């Protein structure tokens, strides 16, 4: 069982996923800091000094922290948009590299010969 687990854990996809999770967590911290420390204070300033994280509503004994929820929604939107931009840039780079490395299509000699005959016949028919 240990050997099977080791074989599974050492597959390329599992290692790639692990690296992605670690980088994603670090990226999430950076974006959260950006939102918490830079964007939301400016948004709060524009809205008259409101700190979203402290917005609450008390219903009976329960306290609903909708401000924290709004903060998390903004965090998510910024993270999602950042990841979208990152993936878009990577895809453009990868697609450009694939186009550059794409080999020229191989044309069958019969098709090439038929194409030449067709072109010669077209030129003969035109005055």
């Amino acid at each position: 069982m240990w050997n099977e687990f080791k074989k599974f854990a050492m597959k390329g996809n599992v290692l790639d996923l692990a690296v992605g999770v670690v980088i994603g967590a670090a990226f999430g911290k950076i974006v959260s800091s950006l939102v918490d420390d830079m964007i939301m204070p400016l948004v709060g300033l524009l809205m008259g000094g409101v700190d979203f994280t402290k917005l609450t509503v008390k219903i009976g004994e329960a306290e609903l922290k909708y401000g924290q929820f709004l903060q998390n929604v903004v965090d998510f939107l910024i993270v999602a948009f950042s990841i979208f931009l990152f993936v878009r840039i990577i895809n453009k780079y990868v697609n450009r590299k694939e186009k550059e490395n794409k080999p020229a299509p191989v044309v069958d000699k019969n098709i090439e010969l038929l194409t030449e005959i067709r072109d010669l016949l077209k030129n003969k028919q035109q005055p």
Side-chain angles (χ1 to χ4, degrees), residues 30-47 50 52 71 74-75 77-79 82:
I30 291 170
V31 173
S32 292
S33 176
L34 173 72
V35 171
D36 293 340
D37 302 330
M38 299 182 76
I39 293 175
M40 290 311 288
L42 292 174
V43 171
L45 184 65
L46 292 174
M47 297 187 71
V50 176
F52 283 108
Q71 178 72 39
V74 171
D75 285 352
L77 293 174
I78 291 173
V79 169
S82 301

Side-chain angles (χ1 to χ4, degrees), residues 41-67:
L42 292 174
V43 171
L45 184 65
L46 292 174
M47 297 187 71
V50 176
D51 181 7
F52 283 108
T53 58
K54 295 180 181 165
L55 296 176
T56 60
V57 171
K58 196 159 188 152
I59 300 175
E61 294 294 317
E63 184 177 20
L64 302 177
K65 298 179 180 181
Y66 71 94

Side-chain angles (χ1 to χ4, degrees), residues 61-110:
E61 294 294 317
E63 184 177 20
L64 302 177
K65 298 179 180 181
Y66 71 94
Q68 187 62 47
F69 175 75
L70 290 175
Q71 178 72 39
N72 290 335
V73 169
V74 171
D75 285 352
F76 170 77
L77 293 174
I78 291 173
V79 169
F81 186 69
S82 301
I83 291 172
F84 167 74
L85 291 177
F86 182 71
V87 169
R88 187 171 179 219
I89 290 168
I90 296 297
N91 283 341
K92 279 186 178 182
Y93 177 74
V94 168
N95 289 339
R96 185 175 45 163
K97 284 290 184 188
E98 285 177 357
K99 286 179 183 178
E100 290 173 0
N101 295 335
K102 191 175 182 181
V106 178
V107 180
D108 186 18
K109 290 190 182 249
N110 291 334

